Amino acid sequence: MEGTLKQNSLMKNLIILLTLVVGFSYMGSKDYLLFHSSIELFSIIIAFNIFIIAFNTDHISSSNYFIFIGIAYGFIGFFDLIHVFSYKGMGIFSEYGANLPTQLWIISRYIESISLLIAFKFIKQRMDKYKIIYIYAFISIIFFISIFYLGIFPDAFVENSGLTQFKVISEYIISGILLIVIGLLIKNKTKFNQRMFEFMLGSIIMTILSEFAFTFYISVYGLSNMLGHLFKLISFYLIYRAINRTSLQRPYEILFHKLNQEKNKLQQYLNTAEVIFLVMNLEGEIKLINKKGCEILGYSRKEIIGNKWFEYFIIKKEKEEVRNLFEKIITGDLKSFKDFESNIITKGGTKKTIAWHNTILKDEEGNVKEVLSSGMDITKRKETEERIKYMSYHDSLTGLYNRKYYEDKLNQLNNEGQFPLSIIIGDVNGLKLINDVFGHDLGDKLLKDIARIIRNSTRDKDIIARWGGDEFGIILPKTNRQDAQKVIQRIKENCKASEFKPIPPNLALGSATKTRRNKNVENVFNKAEDEMYQDKMETKNDSKNPVLQTIIGRLEATNYKVVEHTNRMVKLAKKLGKNLNLTDDQIKELVLLVRFHDIGKFVISNEILSKQEPLTQEEWKEFKSHSEAGYNIAKNFKYLNSIANYILHHHENWDGTGYPQGLKENEIPLLSRINHIIDAYDAMTNEIYYPVNQETYYEIGLSKNDAIKELKKNSGKLFDSEIVSEFIELIE
């Protein structure tokens, strides 16, 4: 490809030169004076063009060599112009004859050859073009003075004799200088572009041929004179091509190449930047966007360029606002809107938040032409900020507001416009029990269910908050006390209707209402809290505790034999207690124990409790856990606190083979030992599933005598032998 272009360029230059030579030769055959004037003027125009190009392109030219030659040719052209005006037949300097134009010619050729020689000095060396011009101007003035005023410049042509020795020798000297120039040119060939080297070499050869032609002519209208001018024409054309290529075409090619490189580099920078770069015209039409912008928007560059930014890429509810901001930016109010945030919509329909920094682009006259916007995707940062903001005002477990927000909102709503202002305080009953017996995961689920119930029981404008572990607060703007009580009743009813297992939610609730400005809101809060505690205490310390009643109810519902089993055990416990000379308080505790000793079975699956065969290892492990579960349940009710330890050990065996702690003999609490015997006897005789260990269990009903035999057999092993004796004596 490159070779083809080079051949085409060479052919083009040959055609131009051939056309010029043929045209001027034909002109010379018809009218030599016209030929001479035309060919010289053509060369002069080339020389002046060379000067103008060199003078005005020194800042972009990569070679001072050609700049120096260009300046020199400006003065060469000037002397050639005077040479044309003084030529025989022109009638301007007729009194000087043919000698003057020949003298001017030889001056031009000396300047040309010496300048070409000196130019090599500036291949690497910098130069001051104005200094060079001053030097050439000074030399030119010296030549003019020597010719026109002093008349001391040697003659170059004598009428009827022809060229003088000075002229001929000068031509040889000039040719010699040019031969040296050729040598230097070849030596420095690597410092020139191949095409420039060829142009320069051809130009110098043509100049040498021109000089030799001028050594032979006798008449200014002779053939050798015409050939000399043709060679000079070719020489000037070639050096023009070299100067034009070096100082104009090539620099601009380099310049445009550099600009293209810079553009590509800029595009690379834009594409590697982790921000959006966007250029819009005054109509909001996208003129440029970088790779990151395309990635964030999800479109190709082709799909984006040319579209209106506000129509396609801004979310609907923000279009007008962002367009107004843009209008203010392009009208000069950049300071106010230099930085702002807006939401964009991607190809996939996703909303992203972008932080924009805007710069206006102006033309040379200061008119705003475009807006450059750089945008950073801060979606994740905004989400994090929103999450932090949300967390600072919300309870992370339930999603309700936290106490800080509750208190801030209470102060905000504490004004006459919100009166009557009611407050409800709630405290979860049984949360500690759930956490102790079933674990905190189930406790967390209970709190979430209670949050759901409260939301469903209140209005959207009501403020619901959770603080601490089990406390909830509700602010009811414009709500009187009667309506607040209705909300409490609704919450309690929804708790009862909840399907949460194993224990339905239950809250102690209290309310208070502020109706006057002078009533302290803290006192209202404290009153609501006092009511809540009163509600809690009313049922906390007796057997009517709703949570305890729920546990008993669920246990009895899953095993109908439990009720009769408990009633029989109570009767036996009272009689045995008296026979063992227990105090009244001990008997009361024993009765309470036999009533609630199996409360821990509430956590055991019904499949295990109703099984009629030996337990697997995992089933036995689960079954044994009911002692500790019962202990934890009893600890949570003041009513059962005194028997919690007896419940824990009611399956300990006299010989230490029981559970959960493997206590033996008198290490086992007395009431636990008594309960153990009564429990086992009633189970044996009433077909109640009663595992002794993993392999042994009672389930088929035994007669009294067979049951007594079992008690005797296990006396001193499973049971306290002294208590067994008293019990057998009681039942016989």
Side-chain angles (χ1 to χ4, degrees), residues 182 187 205 278 286 378 390 394-395 411 454 500 668 678:
I182 290 175
K187 182 179 179 181
I205 291 173
L278 183 72
I286 303 165
I378 59 170
Y390 180 89
H394 287 78
D395 170 48
N411 290 329
I454 296 175
F500 186 84
I668 305 168
I678 298 172

Side-chain angles (χ1 to χ4, degrees), residues 341 352-355 376-383:
E341 296 174 6
K352 289 184 178 290
T353 305
I354 309 297
M376 180 177 292
D377 184 358
I378 59 170
T379 306
K380 290 184 178 179
R381 191 188 82 190
K382 294 294 287 187
E383 288 173 353

